[in-house]
Amino acid sequence: MEEEVIVNRVSKSGLVSLDLEDFYHPGDRVVYDLKDNLYMGLILREKDFREFLKTHDWSYYTNKNVAITCTEDAIIPTWAYMLLAVHLEPYAHLIVFGTLTDLENKLYDEAISKIDFSQYEGAKVVVKGCSKVSVPTTAYVEITRRLKPVAQSIMFGEPCSTVPLYKKPRV
């Protein structure tokens, strides 16, 4: 009986796999909520806030990714967020105004902006769809936008089962 040879057609297909999970920033994600600095939960008093900023131990935020927000229905002057950024900047890896979702989107935007897309010139790229970490949809949209000018084709999923997204037209 002749032994059947198994051929790995995926490895011979020339597909290049791009896994957005590889660009996940491992640092902690935290929210700084200005509601804790409000007087009677209503207003931000500049003198008290500046004193807090001087005496607070900012080292807690070392290498953390910080989303600045205020969850109370209060009018917070723009300079308050700016002052927070001034104090967080020497410690935090990344600071954004908004939610943890906004923070995650920004982390991926930064990571994607550092990719040398020339390595995908003329490639058949499969953007992996399954990951152990939650990859925001914005990252998938951005990677597609950045790949389209250089890649021969873009697919989504796994090399053995892809959804075709784009194929460069023949000229």
Side-chain angles (χ1 to χ4, degrees):
M1 184 163 156
E2 195 174 311
E3 190 174 312
E4 189 177 325
V5 178
I6 299 173
V7 177
N8 185 340
R9 289 186 300 203
V10 171
S11 66
K12 291 186 174 201
S13 68
L15 297 177
V16 176
S17 185
L18 193 154
D19 189 350
L20 286 174
E21 183 177 318
D22 294 342
F23 301 97
Y24 178 80
H25 187 274
D28 292 341
R29 284 116 169 100
V30 296
V31 172
Y32 185 94
D33 194 339
L34 263 168
K35 74 176 171 99
D36 300 328
N37 297 104
L38 298 177
Y39 176 72
M40 298 179 65
L42 298 171
I43 60 171
L44 185 72
R45 298 197 319 194
E46 183 178 356
K47 183 179 177 185
D48 295 343
F49 186 54
R50 286 186 180 274
E51 184 59 32
F52 165 79
L53 294 171
K54 278 194 261 180
T55 60
H56 185 70
D57 180 12
W58 296 102
S59 66
Y60 166 77
Y61 297 96
T62 301
N63 297 323
K64 289 183 170 48
N65 301 293
V66 184
I68 301 171
T69 192
C70 183
T71 57
E72 285 295 322
D73 189 19
I75 297 171
I76 307 295
T78 303
W79 57 259
Y81 297 109
M82 295 169 72
L83 269 173
L84 269 174
V86 165
H87 287 272
L88 286 165
E89 187 276 328
Y91 301 96
H93 170 261
L94 181 68
I95 308 159
V96 299
F97 170 77
T99 65
L100 287 174
T101 299
D102 298 323
L103 178 62
E104 200 64 40
N105 291 341
K106 181 68 173 170
L107 284 166
Y108 269 97
D109 281 348
E110 279 194 349
I112 289 170
S113 73
K114 294 176 184 170
I115 297 172
D116 176 11
F117 283 91
S118 67
Q119 67 184 310
Y120 300 105
E121 188 72 44
K124 298 173 184 172
V125 181
V126 177
V127 179
K128 287 188 71 174
C130 296
S131 60
K132 295 175 188 85
V133 298
S134 179
V135 176
T137 303
T138 57
Y140 288 104
V141 171
E142 181 62 10
I143 204 75
T144 304
R145 186 186 74 78
R146 301 287 300 271
L147 282 170
K148 187 175 178 273
V150 296
Q152 174 63 37
S153 62
I154 305 169
M155 294 157 272
F156 176 79
E158 299 298 322
C160 61
S161 174
T162 61
V163 175
L165 304 172
Y166 168 77
K167 188 168 187 169
K168 190 171 274 189
R170 291 188 180 155
V171 182

